[in-house]
Amino acid sequence: TTGTLSDTLHMSDLEMADDGVYSLVVQNGWIMTRARSIQLGVVPPGTPVFRAAWASPGDVLDCVVHGQLAYLASHSEGLVIVNCSNPLNPVKMGDLSASGLAQRVHVSGTFAFVAAWDGGLDIFDVFDPSNIVLAGHAEKQGLARELDVDGALAYVGDSQGGLLVYDVSDTGQPL
């Protein structure tokens, strides 16, 4: 006889393991039986599902994603750029040391701004993520901890000096 196609999947032998991974056998909808064993993780809707990791040798305190690139503020490495175009296999593209311990990162255009604790504010040219260049630096006023950039102004939250505002219209000479 000729088989008929069905939209129904027939499941049998459902087994649950203690780790929340289920094993089941799925049979196709044809008259002939062909079973394939698969593993299926069942989670409630809206639950984040881990996909991959990129291990940094130092503490990562901040992460900003623009397009397919993740910009990380890493204590030991400074600014790190990771290509996430394949989210199952993130790949480090480049890094450059900061003038102090990198705390926060903000990306605007082809520049990455890093609050570098006792090193102040660093501005990196990230046009070529595999060849990061230090474009500018503002001397410390205290301990640069938080950071945001709006247009030509960089706002730095300083653990000792409060709010510091820098004119970064000329990234090579922040004022």
Side-chain angles (χ1 to χ4, degrees):
T1 63
T2 306
T4 59
L5 185 59
S6 168
D7 291 328
T8 304
L9 293 175
H10 305 280
M11 294 188 289
S12 62
D13 302 328
L14 181 62
E15 296 177 18
M16 185 177 103
D18 288 340
D19 60 6
V21 175
Y22 298 81
S23 295
L24 59 108
V25 176
V26 178
Q27 298 175 343
N28 66 12
W30 294 82
I31 290 175
M32 61 186 159
T33 300
R34 194 170 101 192
R36 175 177 287 172
S37 179
I38 62 170
Q39 284 196 343
L40 174 68
V42 178
V43 296
T47 301
V49 177
F50 176 79
R51 294 290 183 225
W54 175 80
S56 171
D59 292 341
V60 173
L61 296 184
D62 196 18
C63 173
V64 175
V65 176
H66 278 257
Q68 298 178 339
L69 299 178
Y71 298 81
L72 311 176
S74 168
H75 262 185
S76 65
E77 293 180 285
L79 175 66
V80 180
I81 301 177
V82 178
N83 184 333
C84 298
S85 58
N86 177 357
L88 299 178
N89 185 29
V91 176
K92 179 179 171 180
M93 294 192 67
D95 67 69
L96 190 62
S97 294
S99 58
L101 299 174
Q103 302 289 307
R104 295 288 181 262
V105 62
H106 180 92
V107 178
S108 179
T110 60
F111 293 96
F113 299 80
V114 174
W117 194 241
D118 60 346
L121 173 66
D122 289 336
I123 304 171
F124 296 96
D125 183 336
V126 294
F127 177 77
D128 178 358
S130 62
N131 185 30
I132 304 168
V133 176
L134 181 64
H137 173 75
E139 288 299 321
K140 65 180 180 177
Q141 301 293 320
L143 300 173
R145 177 84 173 98
E146 299 292 334
L147 170 69
D148 199 5
V149 178
D150 184 23
L153 297 175
Y155 299 87
V156 177
D158 186 282
S159 291
Q160 296 176 337
L163 176 65
L164 307 176
V165 182
Y166 295 94
D167 179 345
V168 292
S169 55
D170 178 359
T171 55
Q173 298 289 325
L175 303 173

